[in-house]
Amino acid sequence: MATRYWIVSLPVQSPGATASSLWSRLQDSVSRHSFDTPLYRFNVPDLRVGTLDSLLALSDDLVKSNVFVEGVSHKIRRQIEDLERAGGVESGALTVDGVPVDTYLTRFVWDEGKYPTMSPLKEIIGSIQTQVAKIEDDMKVRAAEYNNVRSQLSAINRKQSGSLAVRDLSNLVKPEDMVTSEHLVTLLAIVPKYSQKDWMASYESLDTFVVPRSSKKLYEDNEYALYTVTLFAKVVDNFKVRAREKGFQVRDFEYSPEAQESRKQEMEKLLQDQEAMRTSLLQWCYASYSEIPTD
C-alpha cells in the first residue's frame, strides 16, 4: 500500500521565530498526539518569487503545471507496468535518482544545477514544463514505434492462428501433401467441421477429372477441416464453382518453401525487434520517471 504524505507549510512571523524553532515545535506537537507518526523536514531554498501580483499569477500556472506533470508521471508508470507485464517480469518499486520514491521525498534536496535558485520562479516553472513536455513527446514517439512492431506481430499471429477460412495455411501443408505436374494440381478445401462426411462422399463427383481417393485431411479446428484434393488442372475453375455450391471453400494456395522461410525469418526478426524495443523503452521510462519527480 502506498504511503500518503502531507506537506505542511508554516509561516515564520512571530518575533524571534525561526524555521528551526518552528520545526521543533511541530515535532513536539505531533508527538504528543501521534507519537508513531514520522516527520521529515522538506528543505526548500529561498526562491525569487517576485512581487505579490506575480506570485498570485503564478499560483494558477502552478496548478496547471502540477496536473500536467502528474499526468505525464502516471503515463510513464503505466507504460512501465505494461512493458514489465509483456516481458513476464513482476513489477517492482520505482526509483528516483536510484533510490525509492519514499526515500527521495523524505530526503529531498533541491537540484541547484538544474534549477538555479537565482532564476525567477516563473522561469523555473517554465523550465520544468518544457522538460516534461519533451519527455511526453519522446514517449509518444518511442511507444508508437514499439506498438507498431507489436501490431505487425499480432497481425501475423492472427493469420497463423485464426479460422481456417482466413488464416495462413503455409505452416499446415507439407511438400508431400501437394501434387504438381504438367496436368495435375492439388487444391486445398475448407470443409465445415460437421460436413466432413458429405465432403468425403461427394468430392469425387464434383467433376469427372478428380483423382479418386486423393483427398486427405491435414488439419481441423473448432469450425473447419482442411482437406487436399487432386484433379486435372483444366477443371480447377469448374471444381471451385461446384464445391462452393455444396458449401465448401477452395482456398487459393501455392506451396513455396522459399516464401515460407521468408515469413519465418520475418517473424523471428519482428520478435527480436519487439524485445529489443521493449527493453530500450523500459530503460528509457525508468530514466524519465526518475527525471519527472525530481522536478
Side-chain angles (χ1 to χ4, degrees), residues 40-282:
Y40 307 95
R41 190 164 179 176
F42 201 77
N43 294 302
V44 178
D46 293 331
L47 301 172
R48 294 181 59 188
V49 297
T51 64
L52 179 60
D53 288 342
S54 63
L55 188 59
L56 289 173
L58 271 178
S59 64
D60 292 335
D61 293 340
L62 280 170
V63 172
K64 296 176 184 177
S65 178
N66 182 66
V67 170
F68 171 63
V69 172
E70 185 176 357
V72 175
S73 177
H74 288 325
K75 287 180 184 178
I76 294 178
R77 177 178 54 78
R78 287 193 297 269
Q79 183 71 75
I80 289 173
E81 291 171 353
D82 291 344
L83 293 169
E84 288 179 332
R85 189 161 48 247
V89 178
E90 187 175 347
S91 296
L94 295 174
T95 63
V96 181
D97 288 346
V99 299
V101 176
D102 286 352
T103 302
Y104 173 80
L105 285 173
T106 56
R107 300 178 184 176
F108 176 79
V109 176
W110 184 270
D111 191 339
E112 176 70 25
K114 289 176 67 175
Y115 310 112
T117 54
M118 292 302 294
S119 299
L121 189 55
K122 183 177 180 63
E123 188 176 306
I124 293 176
I125 295 171
S127 175
I128 292 174
Q129 288 181 313
T130 299
Q131 181 182 0
V132 175
K134 184 179 185 307
I135 288 175
E136 183 184 37
D137 290 342
D138 287 349
M139 185 179 70
K140 288 178 180 178
V141 173
R142 292 169 182 268
E145 293 173 347
Y146 171 68
N147 289 329
N148 180 50
V149 173
R150 290 184 65 190
S151 296
Q152 292 181 57
L153 279 170
S154 295
I156 292 175
N157 286 328
R158 282 195 299 272
K159 287 182 179 179
Q160 293 184 342
S161 60
S163 165
L164 282 171
V166 295
R167 66 170 289 178
D168 177 23
L169 303 176
S170 59
N171 61 336
L172 302 178
V173 182
K174 299 181 177 62
E176 56 268 26
D177 298 325
M178 307 299 291
V179 175
T180 303
S181 67
E182 183 180 353
H183 300 291
L184 295 176
V185 64
T186 297
L187 302 180
L188 298 180
I190 309 301
V191 179
K193 187 174 183 178
Y194 299 106
S195 300
Q196 295 183 70
K197 288 184 179 180
D198 186 23
W199 165 260
M200 294 303 297
S202 64
Y203 79 89
E204 292 182 11
S205 62
L206 294 180
D207 194 279
T208 55
F209 289 93
V210 175
V211 177
R213 297 184 297 279
S214 65
S215 186
K216 179 177 68 173
K217 182 163 73 171
L218 303 183
Y219 184 80
E220 182 178 321
D221 63 18
N222 294 330
E223 299 178 89
Y224 300 98
L226 175 64
Y227 281 86
T228 61
V229 59
T230 303
L231 61 158
F232 279 72
K234 65 181 181 179
V235 298
V236 165
D237 290 340
N238 182 62
F239 181 88
K240 287 182 178 181
V241 172
R242 298 289 300 277
R244 186 164 58 249
E245 291 173 351
K246 295 278 289 182
F248 310 130
Q249 176 189 357
V250 177
R251 291 279 306 273
D252 291 329
F253 180 81
E254 181 179 350
Y255 184 79
S256 170
E258 294 80 10
Q260 192 168 354
E261 180 63 25
S262 176
R263 283 191 290 269
K264 180 182 176 182
Q265 291 178 0
E266 179 189 10
M267 182 74 165
E268 291 175 351
K269 183 178 185 305
L270 284 172
L271 285 170
Q272 292 173 357
D273 290 347
Q274 177 184 242
E275 181 56 25
M277 295 177 75
R278 187 194 71 82
T279 302
S280 175
L281 179 55
L282 184 58

